[in-house]
Amino acid sequence: MSEHISNLESAQAFNVEEFINARGLSVYQWMIFLACFLLIAVDTYDIVAIGFAAPVIREDWGINASALGPVMSLSLVGMAIGALLGGPLTDQTSPKTVMVGATFFFGICVLATAAASSVMQLAILRLLTGIGIGAAIPNAPMLVYEFSPSKRSSFLVNLMGSGGAFGSVLCGLIAAFVIPRFGWQSLFIVGGALPIALALACLFLLPEPIRYMVQKGDQRDRIASVLR
């Protein structure tokens, strides 16, 4: 292994895919998978949170269900916008930068949702939350795929997608506990704190995708460090 990495550092021909395929999954690769799994989970948590909070919000604000109708769908509109913006932003920066930045951004928006006091404020914040989620999601499967052996990559990407179900169940359990005790705002405080903490962890722990580093052409030392 050290000899192969030394070859990489010396700019000799080196096939990263063969290197990954020749080895089992390391702790580092499992960490990448877990971080992306949790990203999908917190994304889904924050998408469905409004559904759990809406009945209590209507009661607190004295509004009918139709008033919150558009709010319920704005996060999905935002996700479509975010997905469209994510590509150009990734081209201008890097996949990790967009994933971490977008996750931190929608975490802040979810935290701010706890302070919303009108339907308009809630609608704007749900739209912004969706934009952040839409920009963050596409880079997670790319990371898992690139750092997984070919024979396991499809399975791990699909398994990572199950983080959505985990996040939805987690949101329901947390909602059942915190809303009756602390109000609907607490659901969004938890939902904002989780992605912010995850973004900070990913900033320090996750690498850029291998293909991105290879295409950059000046990342040889970073690739060698990741492969170690």
Side-chain angles (χ1 to χ4, degrees):
M1 178 177 176
S2 297
E3 180 182 352
H4 287 315
I5 294 176
S6 296
N7 289 343
L8 176 61
E9 291 172 324
S10 303
Q12 297 179 20
F14 184 82
N15 190 313
V16 173
E17 185 176 358
E18 289 181 1
F19 179 87
I20 292 175
N21 288 339
R23 288 158 177 80
L25 288 167
S26 67
V27 173
Y28 188 67
Q29 286 166 295
W30 279 116
M31 182 195 71
I32 293 172
F33 168 81
L34 179 61
C36 293
F37 177 91
L38 292 176
L39 174 64
I40 299 299
V42 298
D43 286 347
T44 307
Y45 177 112
D46 288 324
I47 292 169
V48 303
I50 187 65
F52 292 105
V56 186
I57 293 174
R58 292 200 304 267
E59 183 178 346
D60 282 357
W61 292 356
I63 57 178
N64 56 39
S66 62
L68 284 182
V71 175
M72 304 289 286
S73 60
L74 275 175
S75 58
L76 300 178
V77 175
M79 287 175 64
I81 297 172
L84 292 174
L85 294 176
L89 287 173
T90 298
D91 292 338
Q92 294 297 318
T93 56
S94 73
K96 177 182 172 180
T97 299
V98 172
M99 187 171 77
V100 171
T103 301
F104 187 83
F105 172 77
F106 82 74
I108 293 295
C109 291
V110 176
L111 274 181
T113 302
S117 57
S118 69
V119 173
M120 180 60 69
Q121 290 176 6
L122 191 61
I124 292 172
L125 288 167
R126 292 306 295 170
L127 178 65
L128 293 175
T129 297
I131 291 174
I133 292 173
I137 286 178
N139 289 307
M142 175 170 53
L143 263 178
V144 171
Y145 184 84
E146 291 203 7
F147 283 98
S148 301
S150 297
K151 62 183 178 181
R152 297 187 181 181
S153 57
S154 296
F155 169 75
L156 289 174
V157 169
N158 288 330
L159 184 61
M160 180 206 68
S162 68
F166 176 78
S168 182
V169 171
L170 180 66
C171 186
L173 293 174
I174 292 177
F177 179 80
V178 301
I179 290 179
R181 293 168 174 81
F182 309 108
W184 62 268
Q185 295 89 344
S186 59
L187 186 63
F188 293 101
I189 292 173
V190 174
L194 290 175
I196 290 173
L198 182 61
L200 293 174
C202 290
L203 177 64
F204 294 104
L205 297 177
L206 286 190
E208 294 285 0
I210 288 286
R211 186 174 288 107
Y212 168 80
M213 291 190 284
V214 171
Q215 290 173 346
K216 287 287 288 184
D218 59 350
Q219 306 287 309
R220 194 169 292 111
D221 291 342
R222 292 179 63 187
I223 295 173
S225 176
V226 168
L227 294 180
R228 282 195 184 96

